[in-house]
Amino acid sequence: MNYEVAVVGAGVVGLATAYHVMRAPGGSRVAVVDALGGPGMGDTSRSVGGFRTAFTSSVNRVLARSSVEFYEEVQRGGYDLGMRRIGYMFLATASSVDALGKLLGDGADFLDEGELEEMGIRTHVSNLDDAAVLGLEDLVGGFLYRDAGIFDPHLIVEYYVEKLEEMGCDFKYGAEARIVMEPTRPLGIPGEPFPWQEVRARGFRVGDAEVNADTVVLATGAWTGSMLDDAGFPLPLRPLRRMAYSVSATSGALGELLSRDIPALVIPGGVFLRPDPGGAFHVEFGLRRPYGPEDPEPEAWELGALPVLSSYLPAFEGVAPSDSWVGRYDMNIVTGTPIVERLADGLLVAAGTSGSGVMKADAIGRVAAALALGKERVELHGGISMDPMALSAPSGEERLVI
Amino acid sequence: MNYEVAVVGAGVVGLATAYHVMRAPGGSRVAVVDALGGPGMGDTSRSVGGFRTAFTSSVNRVLARSSVEFYEEVQRGGYDLGMRRIGYMFLATASSVDALGKLLGDGADFLDEGELEEMGIRTHVSNLDDAAVLGLEDLVGGFLYRDAGIFDPHLIVEYYVEKLEEMGCDFKYGAEARIVMEPTRPLGIPGEPFPWQEVRARGFRVGDAEVNADTVVLATGAWTGSMLDDAGFPLPLRPLRRMAYSVSATSGALGELLSRDIPALVIPGGVFLRPDPGGAFHVEFGLRRPYGPEDPEPEAWELGALPVLSSYLPAFEGVAPSDSWVGRYDMNIVTGTPIVERLADGLLVAAGTSGSGVMKADAIGRVAAALALGKERVELHGGISMDPMALSAPSGEERLVI
């Protein structure tokens, strides 16, 4: 079997890539292969499902805006993706208010302390017992950024899978794919390709079976960094973990808080609160040293997230999560922007989504598809046209080999 | 015991750092600790000992020029470092000559084919049997860059060690140091520091013994990337390997070639030839995928380096190396420039020398020493003054946490 494009990774980025390859005029034989048992079961499944179009990086802004508008169009077309523009509110302290105002600019409304208190947010926390130990500061207001909200990553995955199946894409799950490289100038000697030879990708191997493809796209999320290290194409990618929790909010103080239709909250101290209209709150808690082994941190709720959360939102006092997991970001540790690039003849990477992958996935998929198909321009949803090589890995000027 | 500065890594960068800390007015109690059995036994020992001041990056140019001039002053003062400005010649093909000319500019003399042939270099190789398989191109000339040459890294190490011992530096070898971090706002709970707590370095631990230091400097070369990954401070550093060989040249065609006082040669195909006036040539052979495990490549001489080398330099035909090893670069995979930066309170890194560490070490040591001592400016040898934070890791604009 020979595919024109084989996508390794059935997360939302890989699916969007396959979708835009198959939608291109002429059609292509496309395969999507994943080590896990189904689509969207890696990083995508760990997302708490928030979106925004506010980023400090203009690259991320463009990718997110275009993708979010695409998802909205899909939903307007009758395919529910769970999207609701409930907004993000960035809670500000005296020490962060100026920087946040500059970042968010005209895109946000400023709510004062009184308005926050009315929403159930405690603004004066510096008198609390643990304030010094927790590093808590009083709130001076909140920037409500309206071009943001929530969606359901699982439904976005289902959308792409359904469309891909309609177009005849081949899926293979539970299959750990290894890239097969061959020398561009073979010596005809066992052991090739040697590491000093120039190589191209020929396809991938699952167990003993080899599948050929003109182009292999690695859309392997947080696994990409170590896979490419092993293959000899190092990129500044690292798997970053965040603690994630789900808290039931069907009754009591939390049910009451949820019923007020509060926006998603970015809370000082590394906590992100994402309302789930189905009757819960999702909580993400950031680590200052997030690059260790991917174990959960059992004390992180009790000693880390909860004291911060319940200081600013008294409704959370004494609450225990009903579920917890480790969120995973595929971080570009240098620029925080995706890397979509041709690494060798026949080998592309589409990774480095840096914690905002679902909300940028459609645009990233379009860029990767354009590279796979050898196009010189790519048009994102909404009409922005860009050079598909614009998402190459960051690099400096040092190029003199010796 | 409490040190003001503890340097982890007794390679040339760590030694230069310790030296410039101790030389600063006021003096400091300094320790240098290394996992290996003596100074300069890691990456430094694997250098083939060439230097140049030509780099595409202006940062590398400044660091190399200043360090090389410092070493020359040391040697003029009567301390032999094996320095000889024999020059580097970059051999040029039709496809590389324009780019090389632009890079090297006025700093180089152009030698034509006839002059190369007189030196024993074969310029017309495209008619050779293996030319196509090896990707060999004819030479059109060579750029002889005179501000370059050879030195003995081992003697530079000895110089710093001798000076450090005179100043009373404590050395500890065979000691694998682990950084000890403590929370800046302790909770008083077992298990601290948790990964969500802000931390500072308190010193280092060797086995069960803890040594305190106000500042710990990681000058751990090619080990730095994985050490900092484990500590949760990821940097775009990777250990890069090159194959290195020594070829005896005391007689015959190679002895004759050496006696012509040829410059170091940068040969198309990834080969670097470094004459050793003691009666040998050192050869470095670059890999196109150099980031795999650090094993030697047994076929690399016979199938890789030798066919290229003997095509351009017939004196090498049929030669076998008398010694071979794996050279190791501490690569900054993004910019190819050193990273000297404060990662946390009390913790500095001085790494990322990217294959030109010995020739830049004195300047890197001055920058690291200035950071360790809290200075706002650092003066390099030769008088250039710079901000010691100028060598921070490359980073983009994406800083919005959520």
Side-chain angles (χ1 to χ4, degrees):
Chain A
M1 187 62 175
N2 189 74
Y3 292 98
E4 270 146 301
V5 176
V7 178
V8 181
V12 66
V13 169
L15 295 170
T17 301
Y19 172 75
H20 289 294
V21 168
M22 294 195 82
R23 285 223 321 170
S28 296
R29 291 184 311 287
V30 175
V32 174
V33 57
D34 199 292
L36 299 173
M41 290 179 67
D43 302 348
T44 305
S45 69
R46 295 157 182 250
S47 161
V48 295
F51 72 83
R52 60 185 159 106
T53 61
F55 289 88
T56 38
S57 142
S58 58
V59 167
N60 281 337
R61 270 200 303 276
V62 166
L63 299 175
R65 188 157 304 170
S66 153
S67 302
V68 165
E69 285 172 6
F70 174 74
Y71 302 145
E72 281 187 320
E73 186 174 287
V74 168
Q75 184 162 289
R76 274 197 305 274
Y79 200 109
D80 180 33
L81 300 177
M83 288 190 86
R84 288 180 59 190
R85 285 208 187 243
I86 64 170
Y88 266 42
M89 186 155 61
F90 296 80
L91 299 180
T93 65
S95 59
S96 72
V97 64
D98 288 348
L100 277 174
K102 217 175 277 180
L103 279 176
L104 297 166
D106 299 335
D109 296 329
F110 187 76
L111 277 66
D112 65 21
E113 291 169 60
E115 289 168 293
L116 297 187
E117 293 280 353
E118 270 171 41
M119 296 174 82
I121 297 168
R122 183 192 279 149
T123 58
H124 189 54
V125 298
S126 56
N127 59 330
L128 299 180
D129 278 354
D130 292 339
V133 165
L134 295 168
L136 300 181
E137 292 177 65
D138 292 340
L139 301 178
V140 299
F143 291 93
L144 178 56
Y145 185 80
R146 299 193 187 277
D147 196 15
I150 57 175
F151 51 27
D152 186 337
H154 183 65
L155 296 176
I156 297 175
V157 164
E158 277 186 4
Y159 170 78
Y160 283 123
V161 169
E162 190 178 307
K163 296 292 165 190
L164 283 165
E165 284 176 344
E166 283 171 21
M167 292 188 284
C169 179
D170 285 348
F171 289 93
K172 191 161 179 56
Y173 298 117
E176 203 170 321
R178 304 190 177 280
I179 312 303
V180 178
M181 307 294 283
E182 64 181 13
T184 54
R185 289 191 297 260
L187 300 168
I189 289 174
E192 292 186 273
F194 298 111
W196 60 87
Q197 288 181 298
E198 199 180 301
V199 289
R200 65 179 155 233
R202 186 172 68 199
F204 63 89
R205 199 189 301 271
V206 175
D208 287 338
E210 186 176 326
V211 177
N212 290 334
D214 299 337
T215 299
V216 177
V217 183
L218 276 189
T220 36
W223 287 273
T224 310
S226 59
M227 285 178 72
L228 286 177
D229 277 355
D230 292 347
F233 299 97
L235 291 175
L237 299 174
R238 293 286 194 294
L240 176 152
R241 66 188 169 134
R242 291 169 69 84
M243 298 302 108
Y245 308 92
S246 193
V247 177
S248 175
T250 48
S251 62
L254 285 181
E256 207 269 318
L257 185 67
L258 187 65
S259 71
R260 294 189 200 182
D261 286 336
I262 62 168
L265 295 178
V266 181
I267 301 171
V271 175
F272 175 62
L273 184 70
R274 188 273 207 202
D276 176 354
F281 284 102
H282 298 317
V283 178
E284 259 199 337
F285 180 48
L287 305 176
R288 283 173 185 274
R289 289 175 305 292
Y291 294 98
E294 297 215 354
D295 308 328
E297 293 289 335
E299 296 96 340
W301 176 261
E302 201 66 46
L303 299 176
L306 182 61
V308 172
L309 196 53
S310 58
S311 296
Y312 290 113
L313 287 158
F316 276 90
E317 261 162 35
V319 158
S322 57
D323 193 10
S324 72
W325 66 97
V326 179
R328 200 159 48 200
Y329 289 4
D330 170 23
M331 279 305 293
N332 173 338
I333 60 167
V334 172
T335 58
T337 54
I339 296 176
V340 185
E341 183 175 349
R342 183 174 300 275
L343 299 172
D345 203 14
L347 180 62
L348 300 185
V349 61
T353 50
S354 301
S356 44
V358 184
M359 61 188 103
K360 296 183 300 203
D362 187 74
I364 295 170
R366 287 174 201 250
V367 174
L371 275 186
L373 297 169
K375 292 192 192 163
E376 295 193 352
R377 301 293 296 176
V378 53
E379 193 173 303
L380 305 185
H381 180 79
I384 286 186
S385 163
M386 61 188 280
D387 178 350
M389 296 208 275
L391 301 186
S392 295
S395 78
E397 50 186 339
E398 191 57 69
R399 281 284 173 271
L400 199 55
V401 175
I402 292 291
Chain B
M1 187 62 174
N2 188 73
Y3 291 98
E4 270 146 301
V5 176
V7 178
V8 181
V12 66
V13 169
L15 295 170
T17 301
Y19 172 75
H20 289 294
V21 168
M22 294 195 82
R23 285 224 321 170
S28 296
R29 290 184 311 285
V30 175
V32 174
V33 57
D34 199 292
L36 300 172
M41 291 179 67
D43 303 348
T44 306
S45 69
R46 295 156 182 252
S47 161
V48 295
F51 72 83
R52 62 187 158 104
T53 61
F55 289 88
T56 39
S57 143
S58 58
V59 167
N60 281 338
R61 271 200 303 277
V62 166
L63 299 175
R65 187 158 303 170
S66 153
S67 301
V68 164
E69 285 173 5
F70 174 74
Y71 302 145
E72 281 187 320
E73 186 175 286
V74 168
Q75 184 162 289
R76 274 197 306 275
Y79 200 109
D80 181 34
L81 300 178
M83 288 190 87
R84 288 182 58 190
R85 285 207 187 245
I86 65 170
Y88 266 43
M89 186 153 63
F90 296 80
L91 299 179
T93 66
S95 59
S96 72
V97 64
D98 288 348
L100 277 174
K102 217 175 278 181
L103 278 176
L104 297 166
D106 300 335
D109 296 330
F110 187 76
L111 277 67
D112 65 21
E113 292 170 59
E115 290 168 292
L116 298 187
E117 293 281 353
E118 271 171 40
M119 296 174 82
I121 298 168
R122 183 193 278 149
T123 58
H124 189 55
V125 297
S126 56
N127 59 331
L128 299 180
D129 278 353
D130 292 339
V133 165
L134 294 168
L136 299 181
E137 292 177 65
D138 292 340
L139 301 178
V140 298
F143 291 94
L144 178 56
Y145 184 80
R146 298 193 187 277
D147 195 16
I150 56 175
F151 51 28
D152 186 336
H154 182 65
L155 295 176
I156 297 175
V157 164
E158 277 186 5
Y159 170 77
Y160 282 122
V161 169
E162 189 178 308
K163 295 293 166 190
L164 283 166
E165 284 176 344
E166 284 171 20
M167 292 188 283
C169 179
D170 285 349
F171 289 94
K172 190 159 180 57
Y173 297 117
E176 203 169 322
R178 303 190 178 280
I179 312 304
V180 179
M181 307 295 281
E182 64 181 12
T184 54
R185 288 191 297 260
L187 299 168
I189 289 174
E192 292 186 273
F194 297 111
W196 60 87
Q197 288 181 298
E198 199 180 300
V199 290
R200 65 180 155 232
R202 186 171 68 199
F204 63 89
R205 200 189 301 271
V206 176
D208 288 338
E210 186 176 327
V211 177
N212 290 334
D214 299 337
T215 299
V216 177
V217 183
L218 276 189
T220 37
W223 287 273
T224 310
S226 59
M227 285 177 71
L228 286 177
D229 277 355
D230 292 346
F233 299 97
L235 291 175
L237 299 174
R238 293 286 195 293
L240 176 152
R241 67 190 169 133
R242 291 169 70 83
M243 298 301 109
Y245 308 92
S246 193
V247 177
S248 175
T250 48
S251 62
L254 285 181
E256 207 269 317
L257 185 67
L258 187 65
S259 72
R260 294 190 201 182
D261 286 336
I262 61 167
L265 295 178
V266 181
I267 301 171
V271 176
F272 175 62
L273 184 70
R274 188 274 207 202
D276 176 353
F281 284 102
H282 298 317
V283 178
E284 258 198 337
F285 180 48
L287 305 176
R288 284 174 184 274
R289 290 175 305 292
Y291 294 99
E294 297 216 354
D295 307 328
E297 293 290 335
E299 297 95 341
W301 176 260
E302 201 66 46
L303 299 176
L306 183 61
V308 172
L309 196 53
S310 58
S311 296
Y312 290 113
L313 287 158
F316 276 90
E317 261 161 36
V319 158
S322 57
D323 192 10
S324 72
W325 65 98
V326 180
R328 200 159 49 199
Y329 290 4
D330 170 23
M331 280 304 293
N332 173 338
I333 60 166
V334 172
T335 58
T337 54
I339 296 176
V340 185
E341 184 176 349
R342 183 174 299 274
L343 299 173
D345 203 15
L347 180 62
L348 300 185
V349 61
T353 51
S354 300
S356 43
V358 184
M359 61 187 104
K360 296 183 300 203
D362 187 74
I364 294 170
R366 286 174 202 251
V367 174
L371 275 187
L373 298 169
K375 292 190 192 165
E376 295 193 352
R377 301 292 297 176
V378 52
E379 193 173 303
L380 305 185
H381 181 79
I384 285 186
S385 163
M386 62 188 279
D387 178 350
M389 297 209 275
L391 301 185
S392 295
S395 78
E397 50 186 338
E398 191 56 69
R399 281 283 172 270
L400 200 54
V401 175
I402 292 292

